[in-house]
Amino acid sequence: MSNWIDIAPLSDIPKRGARMVKTALGCVAVFRTAQDEVFALNNACPHKAGPLAEGIVHGKSVTCPLHNWVISLETGEAQGADEGRVTTYPARVEGGRILLDRTFLRARTAA
Amino acid sequence: MTQKLIVIGAGMATGRMLETLVDANADYDITLINGEPRGNYNRIMLSPVLSGEKTYAEIVTHDDDWYAQHGISTRFGCFVQAIDRKARTVTLATGEVLVYDKLVFGTGSNPFMIPLPGAHLDGVIAYRDLEDTERMMGLGPEHKCVVIGGGLLGLEAAAGMAARGVDVTVVHIMGHLMERQLDEAAGYLLRKALVDKGITVKCSANSKEILGKDGHVRALLLDDGTELPCDLLVMAVGIRPNVSLAQDSGLAVGRGIHVDDQMVTSDANILAVGECVEHDGAIFGLVAPLYDQAKVAAATLMGEDAQFVQKELSTKLKVTGCDLFSAGDFADGEGREDIVFRDPARGVYRRLVITDNVVIGVVMYGDTADSNWFFGLIRDKTDISDMRDTLIFGPAYQGGTPLDPLAAVAALPRDAEICGCNGICKGQIEDAIAAGASDLGAIKATTKASASCGTCTGLVEQVLAVTLGDDFVLPAAASICGCTDMTHEDVRRMIKSQRLTSMPAVWQECAWKTVDGCHVCRPALNFYLLADWPLEYQDDPQSRFINERKHANIQKDGTFSVVPRMWGGITTPNELRAIADAADKYAVPTVKVTGGQRIDLLGVRGEDLPDIWADLNAAGMVSGHAYSKGLRTVKTCVGTDHCRFGTQDSTGLGIKLEKELWGSWTPHKLKLAVSGCPRNCAEATCKDIGVVCVDSGYQVSIGGAAGMDVKETELLVQVASEQEAIDTIKAVTQLYRENAKYLDRIYKWMNKVGLDWIKERIETERAALVDRFELSQSIYRRDPWAEHARDKAQSYQPLANLSLEAAE
């Protein structure tokens, strides 16, 4: 059985935008860059838990809407002088659909 | 004994002459007569005024205070009827007779109008003075204009109007543009750059007739039968020295007024300077020699020995984004050699014309940084045989290895010209520095270098750097963010002048260092593009802060607050009931009255936003934009309705203003208030724009704040009618939108441009500003809540809900 879950068509997220996915233990933010890459991160900034899915997406980063922390979508690391890290989850696009990894999401719920 | 000096014409030449006389405390009692109803201004800067980069006030060289301070009596808007050389008197059209000991002609030139059928029609103008410029500035995106003439003047006129969105066609009789300065290849590059700005260019086009309707120009007919429709037709085909008065006075006149090397005419008591002059067979249209003449004339008047010598001339085109320089002679001829450098991809072209190892002509397009150095080679007739193989690459490549750019400046001789407009050479700048000038501002003030068109600013700074060494730090204006080195102002200018109408176009043309900007520059660019191109630009929600993207204020816990609009602060029991019902239905934890007299529902979940909006919409309420960099609220008192002191209907005006301005985007939030009397219960004097009603009308003031800074407003204007108050407020809002830096409140912007500048623009351009504001509002005066609740509700929901999946 594949571990990838089909979430939604890529077109449901605007370019340089994000949407969130609800899970039993809080939200995961799914980002789409200008180049149509997708990234999945815990939807809480390491600073004051700001909803990253509401931030401005630029390059492969997102800026938290509460206090402008910039988070790398690839590593989850806070950029610049700020310190902290957001949990990232495997995500990919196939045939125009967004896929998330079931095992990681399960691990998250088990945590 | 003090002698009487009369100067006819307040142009750039006589302005400089008067200055020289005044600086030297010359013993003259001076009267200045001018046909235009104003004094000396920098006529070559009319192009930047036309394109909106400068204002008229910025190009005035001598104001009333200056004349008064130096005891110069003025007759502006006055024409000279006759001169009696025997009696030494000047008779004005008003009948006034003035006596002179010395007389100076600075009558300038007249634009040449091609005698086409229809040239008399209304709407056919030249490009010569402020009146012509204002006529062109009155055109907008809905207008068409034809410019006859593809020379310096015609192209500057066309580019200026195109920058204002006017549909411009240039008609040029020759095969390529600026044929007197450019060769065909450079003309092609220039044409391409202009076409990219949206200008239509027709070369080898013969005008046949100007067609009219009801006495006003309608179209230009070419001899191939093409009709070019237009609302305004500008003829910019050349100038002719204005000699009629000199001729009537019996002075020796050829093409211009004959003068000798001392600028004296055939009458020993009469001098002439500027474009009206003919010296040694030549007439003059560029500014540098006029300034030389002015200095010589002043010296002659003071009994000093001075001689006017004609020099090589160079030309720069004052069109933003078209870097073009040309000097000397580059026509084909026997024994002439060419060195050409061409890089079409970068749009760079250089051509040198050489005879007997001396450069006699240079054309540069695209990169003109080395133009002064090449011009120096022409002027000094430098033998270039030793550097011929690397000559075309410029001064940095002479001597084998690339040199520090400052070394090239350091190597310039003292008489190398730095500022072409003002004829200032390196030595004069060095002297000014030795006398204490240590920054660009001081150099401008003491020498006038870089004070005109400004293209030499970089060079002046380099001279400062070379002379002062470590004491001088090149000023670096703060850039928008790390994605670019450009300032907000630079980018706004580029967006306007290059007609950049999309964000990728800005990133490309302004060489952004990142793929797609960042959270700092993207919202700013989104605003600039939307403000400048309301019809063409598509708003980008992904470049907006979350509050504006979701039309609600994000709170610290990720919930949102919702504020329905209450026009002028007025509500009804029904609206209050609907707000209370919504608060119950969506479990709103906090209901609060805001500082702007509106009701705030705090703690709404993001997913519920479309539903609560739909409910509030159903009760007739729309978004209060309490989240936007745009109009927030218009706070009011009760005015004449209930108050015993109220002088006008302040609530009514507040409601009208809010209905006119709502939905508009501005550089920062915009808060208004209207108070019904000077007791000021609506606290109008600490708002961005405040109105205080008084018995005689309405005091409109701007620049207040009660946030991070607390500021009192300053009076912009007092008007008698409500409509004038509304128009003024729309106009100042539009001026703020068009000019301010993103995230500058009005008071910060006002500190930069000055209240006087704002007053003048409002006075002279109110109607046009109101029109542009209305145009933008035709797109943006809409309720975003209704749109989102109807079309985008789905995007407020989670992309997927895996709660069940995970629980399995």
Side-chain angles (χ1 to χ4, degrees):
Chain A
M1 182 182 113
S2 158
N3 278 329
W4 294 96
I5 320 175
D6 185 327
I7 299 292
L10 180 65
S11 57
D12 274 8
I13 306 178
K15 274 184 195 286
R16 302 184 190 95
R19 295 279 296 275
M20 59 147 188
V21 171
K22 274 196 173 176
T23 74
L25 281 179
C27 299
V28 171
V30 183
F31 298 88
R32 175 182 176 188
T33 67
Q35 273 72 42
D36 288 343
E37 304 139 304
V38 294
F39 296 96
L41 280 80
N42 199 15
N43 189 29
C45 179
H47 175 218
K48 299 212 166 170
L52 296 177
E54 316 283 25
I56 289 180
V57 177
H58 47 100
K60 290 183 190 178
S61 302
V62 61
T63 300
C64 175
L66 293 194
H67 306 97
N68 290 338
W69 277 38
V70 178
I71 308 294
S72 160
L73 297 178
E74 291 175 298
T75 64
E77 296 277 353
Q79 306 290 291
D82 298 322
E83 283 179 21
R85 191 174 167 277
V86 191
T87 312
T88 58
Y89 304 102
R92 62 190 178 96
V93 182
E94 196 175 286
R97 309 285 303 183
I98 299 163
L99 306 180
L100 296 187
D101 188 326
R102 188 191 303 261
T103 23
F104 279 86
L105 291 171
R106 283 235 171 102
R108 168 190 167 80
T109 58
Chain B
M1 202 189 96
T2 303
Q3 296 199 75
K4 288 186 190 307
L5 170 67
I6 294 181
V7 180
I8 305 175
M12 296 184 68
T14 59
R16 180 54 55 90
M17 182 190 76
L18 289 174
E19 233 167 66
T20 313
L21 288 173
V22 163
D23 285 348
N25 279 320
D27 191 19
Y28 274 108
D29 178 2
I30 305 172
T31 302
L32 176 64
I33 303 169
N34 198 28
E36 275 189 70
R38 57 183 73 84
N40 301 86
Y41 62 92
N42 193 340
R43 196 183 296 273
I44 58 171
M45 297 311 281
L46 284 174
S47 298
V49 169
L50 176 61
S51 66
E53 288 164 64
K54 285 199 188 284
T55 62
Y56 171 67
E58 289 174 85
I59 68 165
V60 170
T61 51
H62 303 85
D63 56 16
D64 291 346
D65 286 348
W66 188 86
Y67 299 121
Q69 204 184 331
H70 296 100
I72 295 173
S73 93
T74 57
R75 302 281 190 284
F76 293 154
C78 243
F79 288 88
V80 173
Q81 187 142 49
I83 293 169
D84 184 336
R85 293 199 285 129
K86 267 193 192 140
R88 282 193 286 184
T89 59
V90 170
T91 308
L92 300 181
T94 53
E96 190 181 1
V97 177
L98 303 167
V99 180
Y100 68 83
D101 296 299
K102 296 281 179 189
L103 181 66
V104 176
F105 270 79
T107 47
S109 57
N110 292 322
F112 176 60
M113 302 297 277
I114 310 169
L116 290 174
H120 63 280
L121 288 164
D122 181 33
V124 178
I125 63 169
Y127 182 24
R128 182 65 194 152
D129 55 22
L130 186 63
E131 276 72 25
D132 296 331
T133 309
E134 281 175 342
R135 198 77 187 258
M136 288 188 253
M137 286 163 68
L139 297 184
E142 68 282 14
H143 291 115
K144 286 183 193 310
C145 179
V146 168
V147 177
I148 302 183
L152 208 56
L153 205 58
L155 297 184
E156 289 181 2
M161 284 186 284
R164 294 180 173 271
V166 181
D167 179 347
V168 182
T169 304
V170 174
V171 174
H172 193 47
I173 193 163
M174 304 304 287
H176 67 270
L177 297 172
M178 289 184 68
E179 78 287 348
R180 279 166 58 195
Q181 290 89 6
L182 300 186
D183 58 16
E184 272 185 50
Y188 167 78
L189 282 175
L190 175 61
R191 176 189 180 128
K192 198 162 145 251
L194 294 170
V195 169
D196 286 347
K197 287 178 189 294
I199 298 170
T200 309
V201 178
K202 286 187 175 295
C203 288
S204 308
N206 251 319
S207 305
K208 188 177 179 192
E209 187 179 350
I210 302 170
L211 308 175
K213 191 187 172 192
D214 304 329
H216 191 275
V217 61
R218 166 176 80 75
L220 176 70
L221 176 67
L222 303 182
D223 66 0
D224 65 359
T226 313
E227 257 190 47
L228 303 168
C230 58
D231 304 294
L232 190 72
L233 188 139
V234 180
M235 273 200 211
V237 290
I239 52 171
R240 290 193 168 170
N242 179 8
V243 297
S244 53
L245 183 63
Q247 215 152 22
D248 294 348
S249 316
L251 294 177
V253 166
R255 282 194 296 162
I257 304 169
H258 282 296
V259 292
D260 61 15
D261 292 349
Q262 280 69 45
M263 308 314 294
V264 177
T265 66
S266 55
D267 178 329
N269 292 318
I270 302 181
L271 288 75
V273 290
E275 289 179 345
C276 61
V277 155
E278 179 180 336
H279 174 267
D280 199 13
I283 57 175
F284 306 87
L286 297 172
V287 74
L290 305 196
Y291 282 164
D292 287 347
Q293 293 175 1
K295 286 177 205 163
V296 171
T300 305
L301 286 170
M302 292 185 286
E304 294 164 10
D305 195 25
Q307 246 187 354
F308 173 65
V309 182
Q310 291 181 29
K311 290 186 198 158
E312 286 290 346
L313 294 178
S314 65
T315 306
K316 276 181 182 156
L317 183 65
K318 287 180 293 304
V319 172
T320 314
C322 295
D323 239 344
L324 186 154
F325 174 89
S326 134
D329 181 359
F330 53 89
D332 288 333
E334 195 79 8
R336 290 189 171 180
E337 305 155 278
D338 273 336
I339 300 180
V340 177
F341 173 90
R342 200 191 294 268
D343 183 349
R346 280 197 303 141
V348 172
Y349 174 87
R350 286 178 177 192
R351 179 179 185 200
L352 302 176
V353 182
I354 297 169
T355 319
D356 299 331
N357 287 321
V358 169
V359 180
I360 59 163
V362 54
V363 182
M364 302 176 77
Y365 186 89
D367 175 9
T368 56
D370 297 333
S371 54
N372 273 287
W373 183 75
F374 283 113
F375 186 47
L377 297 181
I378 297 179
R379 206 188 37 211
D380 302 339
K381 303 190 169 52
T382 310
D383 185 327
I384 50 92
S385 29
D386 287 348
M387 51 180 165
R388 191 179 163 111
D389 48 349
T390 52
L391 182 65
I392 194 80
F393 302 112
Y397 293 88
Q398 305 316 317
T401 47
L403 294 172
D404 174 4
L406 285 181
V409 176
L412 288 174
R414 270 180 62 83
D415 65 350
E417 187 176 78
I418 301 289
C419 171
C421 296
N422 292 293
I424 306 297
C425 57
K426 185 182 167 194
Q428 285 167 282
I429 295 174
E430 287 174 335
D431 293 346
I433 295 169
S438 61
D439 60 23
L440 184 67
I443 296 290
K444 275 188 192 175
T446 52
T447 67
K448 291 212 176 336
S450 103
S452 293
C453 80
T455 46
C456 64
T457 302
L459 207 53
V460 174
E461 285 177 342
Q462 288 176 351
V463 174
L464 274 161
V466 166
T467 315
L468 291 173
D470 291 343
D471 292 342
F472 180 74
V473 182
L474 277 179
S479 62
I480 296 182
C481 62
C483 301
T484 176
D485 292 330
M486 294 177 85
T487 63
H488 284 267
E489 291 75 13
D490 291 339
V491 172
R492 283 216 92 165
R493 250 194 308 277
M494 283 291 282
I495 288 174
K496 287 190 182 97
S497 66
Q498 304 287 295
R499 278 195 76 81
L500 306 179
T501 57
S502 73
M503 225 171 294
V506 175
W507 297 332
Q508 173 66 31
E509 295 293 330
C510 303
W512 240 243
K513 297 176 203 163
T514 50
V515 192
D516 48 10
C518 70
H519 65 278
V520 178
C521 59
R522 285 234 310 272
L525 294 183
N526 190 53
F527 169 74
Y528 294 152
L529 289 163
L530 174 152
D532 285 341
W533 318 111
L535 303 184
E536 291 147 281
Y537 177 68
Q538 281 291 319
D539 182 45
D540 176 23
Q542 300 309 323
S543 296
R544 286 190 178 275
F545 184 61
I546 181 65
N547 286 358
E548 292 181 350
R549 196 181 326 132
K550 287 204 165 166
H551 299 283
N553 260 324
I554 195 163
Q555 307 297 332
K556 61 189 263 185
D557 62 354
T559 63
F560 291 86
S561 81
V562 166
V563 181
R565 210 167 262 296
M566 281 181 187
W567 308 99
I570 292 280
T571 185
T572 63
N574 275 337
E575 286 184 353
L576 290 173
R577 251 178 238 117
I579 290 172
D581 287 345
D584 274 344
K585 185 169 168 187
Y586 300 97
V588 170
T590 308
V591 180
K592 185 179 183 311
V593 175
T594 70
Q597 302 176 331
R598 308 294 186 265
I599 292 175
D600 195 354
L601 300 165
L602 290 138
V604 180
R605 298 185 320 144
E607 297 105 285
D608 288 341
L609 287 172
D611 294 328
I612 193 169
W613 294 341
D615 286 5
L616 293 167
N617 275 164
M621 283 175 280
V622 299
S623 171
H625 289 82
Y627 46 81
S628 72
K629 308 281 178 252
L631 179 82
R632 298 279 177 95
T633 48
V634 184
K635 192 176 177 180
T636 60
C637 68
V638 294
T640 44
D641 276 358
H642 302 277
C643 177
R644 67 201 158 103
F645 298 115
T647 63
Q648 312 278 359
D649 177 15
S650 56
T651 318
L653 176 55
I655 293 172
K656 279 181 196 153
L657 282 171
E658 194 165 344
K659 293 210 160 171
E660 295 282 348
L661 299 178
W662 79 294
S664 61
W665 301 103
T666 44
H668 207 301
K669 62 186 172 185
L670 186 66
K671 293 180 170 182
L672 273 66
V674 186
S675 282
C677 77
R679 284 164 193 77
N680 196 12
C681 295
E683 295 160 344
T685 50
C686 63
K687 297 292 182 286
D688 296 286
I689 305 177
V691 182
V692 175
C693 302
V694 290
D695 276 328
S696 56
Y698 304 81
Q699 292 172 341
V700 179
S701 61
I702 61 169
M708 303 254 275
D709 294 298
V710 181
K711 302 269 175 200
E712 190 184 345
T713 53
E714 290 183 53
L715 185 67
L716 177 66
V717 67
Q718 171 153 356
V719 292
S721 74
E722 195 178 78
Q723 191 57 47
E724 284 174 281
I726 293 172
D727 284 351
T728 302
I729 288 168
K730 283 185 195 171
V732 78
T733 304
Q734 182 65 15
L735 194 63
Y736 170 53
R737 289 158 49 100
E738 289 177 6
N739 290 283
K741 174 181 143 187
Y742 187 67
L743 298 187
D744 269 356
R745 292 280 292 271
I746 286 190
Y747 71 92
K748 286 199 177 163
W749 169 62
M750 190 167 94
N751 285 345
K752 287 178 188 166
V753 301
L755 181 61
D756 288 342
W757 181 84
I758 298 175
K759 279 182 179 171
E760 192 194 302
R761 296 289 293 262
I762 297 298
E763 197 176 315
T764 55
E765 288 171 45
R766 194 168 73 176
L769 285 164
V770 170
D771 285 349
R772 292 203 290 276
F773 181 75
E774 287 299 336
L775 180 76
S776 172
Q777 284 294 77
S778 67
I779 309 287
Y780 291 104
R781 197 187 280 136
R782 277 204 217 125
D783 178 34
W785 284 0
E787 263 168 52
H788 282 236
R790 190 182 60 232
D791 306 329
K792 296 187 181 166
Q794 191 54 40
S795 70
Y796 286 76
Q797 305 308 313
L799 186 61
N801 189 340
L802 303 181
S803 319
L804 298 174
E805 158 87 15
E808 276 168 15

